[in-house]
Amino acid sequence: MSKKIALEVITTRILELRGRKVMLDRDLATLYGVPVKVLNQAVKRNIKRFPSDFMFQLSWVEAEFSRSQIVTLKQGKNIKYLPFAFTEYGVAMLSSVLNSERAIQINILIMRAFTKLRQTLLNHKELGIKVEALEKKFGEHDESIKAIFEAIKQLLEPPPVKPKPQIGFHNR
């Protein structure tokens, strides 16, 4: 590989669409060093290798959304073709379709990026569970502490002054 591609660069190109982590054909083509048209032609020639859980085509709304998130086209330019989104499995299958040394090296990096992302999400999920448990635990303590402070405040307040009964003869 002529250029070193950082794992972080690849990780930033992984998007979430339709509840899946995917990479768009234009980003993959850039990483593989081939035109998008060449990548898509190779995929179409081997379409049986790419079922719907490996690859899907974006809708116009998704395409516009992805374009606004990752500015790729200049202002005033329109998308001519709907891009394809490749899941982790689809990216792995691309290595058998694009048979070059660069494709193999990039695929290894992409697989590592997906694995790193999955591990990061797992760690965040575990951290979220721990924080939730702490909130629950200390939430109960908060109620107890509030009750203790209320009791202390009541003890510190002077007792209410009762009117003294008058002694002697009263004319009502």
Side-chain angles (χ1 to χ4, degrees):
M1 263 182 356
S2 59
K3 293 182 182 177
K4 274 287 200 191
I5 298 175
L7 208 55
E8 290 76 26
V9 172
I10 295 172
T11 306
T12 60
R13 297 198 178 173
I14 298 175
L15 307 172
E16 185 165 343
L17 291 171
R18 300 182 190 176
R20 299 180 193 170
K21 299 288 183 204
V22 298
M23 290 186 74
L24 299 179
D25 57 1
R26 63 178 176 243
D27 294 330
L28 289 165
T30 302
L31 291 170
Y32 290 132
V34 298
V36 179
K37 186 176 182 177
V38 171
L39 183 131
N40 287 337
Q41 283 175 346
V43 168
K44 287 176 185 176
R45 274 190 240 119
N46 297 282
I47 198 68
K48 289 182 181 180
R49 294 177 181 240
F50 295 94
S52 62
D53 59 330
F54 283 35
M55 176 194 80
F56 58 88
Q57 193 166 25
L58 272 61
S59 67
W60 287 107
V61 174
E62 291 169 330
E64 282 297 320
F65 176 75
S66 71
R67 179 181 163 195
S68 67
Q69 294 300 310
I70 303 167
V71 183
T72 55
L73 292 177
K74 293 182 180 169
Q75 202 69 318
K77 300 278 185 177
N78 291 321
I79 299 172
K80 295 178 184 176
Y81 304 103
L82 289 173
F84 288 100
F86 294 87
T87 64
E88 184 176 355
Y89 304 119
V91 172
M93 188 58 72
L94 275 174
S95 67
S96 65
V97 173
L98 298 172
N99 196 9
S100 71
E101 186 61 34
R102 181 173 174 92
I104 292 168
Q105 294 302 317
I106 294 296
N107 248 19
I108 291 169
L109 286 173
I110 292 171
M111 291 297 108
R112 287 180 179 154
F114 271 108
T115 304
K116 181 180 177 185
L117 187 63
R118 192 179 311 110
Q119 187 63 39
T120 302
L121 291 174
L122 184 64
N123 288 344
H124 283 287
K125 188 180 278 187
E126 289 172 0
L127 184 62
I129 291 169
K130 288 179 183 179
V131 167
E132 197 173 295
L134 283 173
E135 285 177 345
K136 185 177 179 182
K137 180 179 177 181
F138 289 113
E140 294 168 0
H141 290 294
D142 285 346
E143 294 300 319
S144 301
I145 291 170
K146 283 180 187 177
I148 291 169
F149 279 122
E150 286 300 317
I152 291 172
K153 283 181 187 176
Q154 288 177 358
L155 291 173
L156 292 176
E157 288 179 7
V161 179
K162 294 180 184 175
K164 293 185 179 180
Q166 290 185 351
I167 302 174
F169 179 73
H170 301 285
N171 191 5
R172 296 185 191 189

